[in-house]
Amino acid sequence: MPEAPEVQTVISTLASQIKDSTIVDVTVYYDKILETEDFVNKIKGQSFLSFSRIGKYLIFTTEKYDFVVHLRMEGKFYIMDTFPKDLKHIHVIFHLDDGRYLCYHDTRKFGRMALYDKVDNKYDCPALKNVGWDVLDDRFNAMYFYNKIHKSNRNLKTALLDQSIQAGIGNIYADEICFMSRLDPRSRCSRLSKKDCEKIVEMTKYIIKGAIKAGGTTIRSYTSSLGVTGLFQLQLHVHTKKDEPCEICHNKIIKTVIASRGTYICTHCQKRK
DNA sequence: AAGTTCCCCTGTTAGC
DNA sequence: TGCTAACAGGGGAACT
């Protein structure tokens, strides 16, 4: 499931591949993907001028619009030199002026795309009205995070996954952030100190930046038309490591459920507050 | 107001 | 072996 680093990889790759391409036609096979009215007619004739990311949202800016995409769990873009033969799971195809096709592929059909009038500050885009600062934005800092959570009765993991506080963390990185911060994700937010928040924010930025670097490294081995999936290899410390020994203390990592998300914890290294 | 639950989907895995 | 049921998960709507 793409989180901020994977989305960054996707947007960077697309920027290098389709910048200044013009959309001459759009074929839609599953229109629930499209959230705004008259999407196809509006986007026809528009060109991909600039590319940005806030949290897990991809933002393609054209002459008139911000074209906003959320990949949710399994959304992927493929660039094809010829019209795809296998249309299974392909829901939207953008025909580009140079003859290539930008294909949106999504097995679970959870992804969404929308078109809004272009704005200078992307945080003002209606698609992002409930989205907090991107995790790499300087405004996502320790005091901001502390002020957002210190009166909350929720647990730490729920706060990390709450995109209205900070945007870009998904289930995998939430576990990794808690591990690196040595805090149990079940800890109550109201019991966390400013020091804890400093550590959490520091580790969040460290992990996300590291993952973006890893993604950037991996992407170079891609052959051009094969696709833009944003997959990358990152060394995980706890997530998916059920029953494996913690690399620090060698106790078994446990799996539990928090906020209906599978959650991995080293209960020895990660303090529950 | 804050927090929780349900729902959207379908490939994969567990259970019989 | 082959079937069905349970499960996974991001985010928004609906609900408490």
Side-chain angles (χ1 to χ4, degrees):
Chain A
M1 53 239 74
E3 306 184 30
E6 293 88 337
V7 175
Q8 184 62 50
T9 302
V10 172
I11 201 79
S12 302
T13 307
L14 288 175
S16 72
Q17 300 233 10
I18 62 168
K19 181 165 165 37
D20 298 325
S21 287
T22 302
I23 298 163
V24 293
D25 202 4
V26 183
T27 313
V28 179
Y29 299 97
Y30 181 72
D31 62 13
K32 284 180 78 175
I33 296 281
L34 308 174
E35 291 187 307
T36 51
E37 294 299 310
D38 213 19
F39 179 94
V40 171
N41 283 328
K42 283 181 169 176
I43 206 167
K44 268 193 212 175
Q46 298 291 302
S47 309
F48 291 102
L49 299 181
S50 61
F51 301 77
S52 47
R53 175 192 67 77
I54 291 179
K56 304 173 198 173
Y57 290 84
L58 298 96
I59 306 165
F60 305 91
T61 303
T62 72
E63 289 85 349
K64 290 167 73 173
Y65 304 107
D66 288 319
F67 169 32
V68 183
V69 179
H70 197 300
L71 303 170
R72 297 286 179 92
M73 268 83 77
E74 308 210 356
K76 294 171 180 66
F77 279 109
Y78 293 96
I79 297 167
M80 307 286 286
D81 290 328
T82 56
F83 197 85
K85 292 179 188 74
D86 181 10
L87 290 172
K88 193 175 184 191
H89 304 312
I90 290 181
H91 308 307
V92 185
I93 299 179
F94 299 88
H95 305 233
L96 305 180
D97 58 338
D98 60 9
R100 292 182 299 165
Y101 300 90
L102 175 66
C103 305
Y104 180 72
H105 179 286
D106 189 345
T107 47
R108 292 192 192 170
K109 298 180 172 173
F110 271 20
R112 292 293 179 262
M113 44 186 77
L115 209 54
Y116 292 99
D117 289 333
K118 179 168 161 176
V119 288
D120 289 333
N121 178 357
K122 301 310 175 197
Y123 283 100
D124 293 335
C125 179
L128 305 182
K129 64 177 189 295
N130 296 319
V131 175
W133 304 127
D134 183 82
V135 283
L136 295 185
D137 193 300
D138 289 340
R139 290 167 289 192
F140 171 59
N141 57 44
M143 277 317 293
Y144 168 83
F145 186 65
Y146 178 79
N147 287 331
K148 280 282 182 185
I149 68 158
H150 84 284
K151 289 177 183 165
S152 170
N153 288 317
R154 302 147 94 196
N155 57 60
L156 172 56
K157 177 150 180 176
T158 304
L160 288 172
L161 292 173
D162 185 343
Q163 305 297 304
S164 73
I165 300 177
Q166 71 288 308
I169 302 170
N171 197 37
I172 296 170
Y173 293 124
D175 284 0
E176 295 298 311
I177 290 162
C178 291
F179 177 78
M180 293 292 278
S181 304
R182 304 291 181 258
L183 288 166
D184 190 311
R186 297 167 292 190
S187 299
R188 262 182 193 256
C189 287
S190 56
R191 299 202 180 113
L192 297 175
S193 66
K194 290 176 188 173
K195 264 273 185 291
D196 292 327
C197 291
E198 278 174 26
K199 190 75 177 168
I200 291 163
V201 171
E202 181 196 343
M203 287 302 125
T204 299
K205 291 178 191 275
Y206 173 79
I207 289 168
I208 299 289
K209 281 180 188 169
I212 287 174
K213 265 191 185 167
T217 305
T218 304
I219 204 72
R220 285 186 204 116
S221 66
Y222 275 40
T223 50
S224 64
S225 66
L226 181 55
V228 184
T229 62
L231 76 92
F232 67 92
Q233 314 300 324
L234 179 79
Q235 189 57 47
L236 298 177
H237 297 101
V238 278
H239 197 83
T240 71
K241 305 288 185 188
K242 180 179 186 315
D243 293 336
E244 291 182 36
C246 167
E247 46 191 71
I248 294 177
C249 72
H250 308 296
N251 285 293
K252 264 192 185 181
I253 288 163
I254 64 153
K255 183 184 182 186
T256 183
V257 175
I258 302 178
S260 66
R261 305 281 188 273
T263 301
Y264 300 81
I265 313 167
C266 171
T267 54
H268 182 262
C269 291
Q270 296 176 249
K271 195 187 288 183
R272 185 166 184 171
K273 296 199 172 184

